[in-house]
Amino acid sequence: MKTKLWLLLLAVAVLVTACAAGPNVVSHVDGVQPAGFWKGLWHGFIYPVTFIISLFNDNVNIYEVRNNGNWYDFGFVAGIGLLHTVFGGHRHVSRRRRKASATA
């Protein structure tokens, strides 16, 4: 029983590590300046529209491959969070509070 559990854990570990991101080898190709925090913030904010366009156009991606790493990623996630906060996150909370106060 313990051997099967260890084999299962090993298989899960191998599967998870296979999904790990590697280095961005194309970030400094052709002398193009990589995208930073502000572009990441913008790309995160417009990702729903970009995603729909990317379904029909192979030249459009929702994530900039040529980026400067962690700052771009932080901006991208912050843009997504900002989008959901501005256009919907607070509305759901207020509805829940109204329903909870109405039933109490």
Side-chain angles (χ1 to χ4, degrees):
M1 181 66 180
K2 286 186 178 185
T3 306
K4 288 182 182 180
L5 180 63
W6 281 108
L7 287 175
L8 178 66
L9 288 175
L10 180 66
V12 169
V14 168
L15 194 69
V16 170
T17 57
C19 299
N24 187 358
V25 294
V26 296
S27 64
H28 296 290
V29 176
D30 299 331
V32 177
Q33 185 175 6
F37 172 78
W38 295 109
K39 278 197 176 179
L41 187 71
W42 176 247
H43 291 163
F45 194 74
I46 64 168
Y47 89 93
V49 174
T50 308
F51 173 69
I52 292 170
I53 293 172
S54 72
L55 295 175
F56 302 103
N57 187 344
D58 291 336
N59 297 323
V60 176
N61 298 319
I62 61 171
Y63 187 83
E64 177 62 51
V65 175
R66 293 182 178 148
N67 64 62
N68 65 358
N70 293 338
W71 280 111
Y72 178 82
D73 294 341
F74 179 68
F76 190 79
V77 172
I80 291 171
L82 181 66
L83 174 74
H84 288 290
T85 300
V86 170
F87 293 110
H90 65 282
R91 293 181 191 149
H92 299 293
V93 172
S94 62
R95 283 188 208 151
R96 288 183 196 146
R97 287 184 185 159
R98 275 189 258 144
K99 287 180 184 178
S101 64
T103 58

